Amino acid sequence: MNDAVPAAIDAWRQPMWLFLAIAAVAVACVLWDRIWRVARNVVTIVHEGGHALVALLTGRQLSGIRLHSDTSGLTLSAGQPYGPGMVATAAAGYLAAPLVGTIVAVLVSFGQGTRVLWLGAAILLTMLVLVRNAYGALSLVVSAIVLFGLSVLTPAVLHGAICAGLSCFFLFAGPRTLVELHKQRRHQFIQSPHLRELRVQSDIDQLARLTGLSAGLWFAILATAMSVAIVLSCGALLASSAA
């Protein structure tokens, strides 16, 4: 029994080539549209969870979360419609995936892969109290079952590799969601250049309205934050790899 403890703690002492292979698979999942259409549901969970968590932390009254089968989502909260709390809540969505990826990378670099899987499953089940539609509840339950199943059905020595893959997926999923948003906004503007106010208001548009900064600048700010997260997280995983 004691022999199993060091193995679990040292779960990510894997060769560098293995991390690079895992990162390549994660990037493929983000770039391959067929996989992305399914995997994006997980990103939406994290995105809306980010909005919800920051709304609560900034004192806003959270009404609930809705997750839809087209991978869109909605988090409703009540409170002051402007100010730092509202800005933080609006920005949290697109920053959530790279932040989760970074946290997972740090924990995995310290050999906490198994605990990451347990913690992820627990957080998903906790979010059930906030979800207001059946598809959203189903998405959370299925995702939690997958994480818990991986923790009990796979050897502990693989948990670090699994979580490293999840970390890379979230890190690279962030930039893709920004690219998708840019294409959506550009298409809507081309379709109705004189009716911009009728465009579906994204987080970027909301941030621009709240702060007076342009949407383009907010794109740059979020893209920079995502790039920093990728560099730091991959650096932590590479540094903890076996020589």
Side-chain angles (χ1 to χ4, degrees):
M1 182 175 180
N2 291 334
D3 293 337
V5 176
I9 292 176
D10 202 31
W12 179 241
R13 300 299 174 184
Q14 306 292 342
M16 186 179 296
W17 67 263
L18 179 59
F19 168 70
L20 297 177
I22 289 169
V25 171
V27 171
C29 290
V30 172
L31 296 180
W32 191 356
D33 288 342
R34 287 188 177 182
I35 297 178
W36 176 248
R37 279 194 291 269
V38 177
R40 200 183 192 287
N41 285 281
V42 181
V43 181
T44 301
I45 292 173
V46 174
H47 181 106
E48 300 304 330
H51 283 312
L53 176 61
V54 174
L56 291 173
L57 292 177
T58 55
R60 298 182 62 80
Q61 184 177 356
L62 188 62
S63 301
I65 298 172
R66 299 183 69 87
L67 304 169
H68 305 127
S69 58
D70 63 355
T71 73
S72 65
L74 179 65
T75 299
L76 296 175
S77 63
Q80 196 172 28
Y82 52 84
M86 188 62 202
V87 172
T89 300
Y94 281 100
L95 293 175
L99 179 59
V100 168
T102 301
I103 293 172
V104 171
V106 172
L107 291 174
V108 169
S109 70
F110 283 100
Q112 302 301 313
T114 303
R115 290 181 175 85
V116 168
L117 294 174
W118 291 344
L119 180 62
I123 291 174
L124 289 169
L125 293 177
T126 301
M127 286 179 64
L128 281 172
V129 300
L130 302 174
V131 172
R132 298 293 181 262
N133 66 322
Y135 183 82
L138 179 63
S139 297
L140 291 175
V141 171
V142 170
S143 299
I145 290 174
V146 169
L147 290 182
F148 184 74
L150 288 171
S151 73
V152 298
L153 297 177
T154 60
V157 72
L158 294 180
H159 293 171
I162 292 170
C163 291
L166 290 173
S167 172
C168 291
F169 171 75
F170 284 122
L171 289 167
F172 292 108
R176 167 141 192 182
T177 58
L178 270 188
V179 170
E180 289 178 341
L181 177 59
H182 174 71
K183 289 180 178 179
Q184 180 186 29
R185 293 178 77 258
R186 184 171 180 274
H187 174 74
Q188 290 168 337
F189 177 69
I190 291 174
Q191 292 294 319
S192 304
H194 303 297
L195 299 174
R196 296 180 66 178
E197 69 278 5
L198 298 182
R199 189 176 56 224
V200 176
Q201 294 296 295
S202 66
D203 294 346
I204 294 289
D205 295 300
Q206 192 173 23
L207 285 166
R209 188 169 60 252
L210 288 168
T211 63
L213 302 177
S214 68
L217 182 56
W218 273 108
F219 269 110
I221 292 171
L222 294 179
T224 300
M226 291 176 181
S227 300
V228 171
I230 291 172
V231 172
L232 294 179
S233 302
C234 291
L237 290 171
L238 285 170
S240 63
S241 297

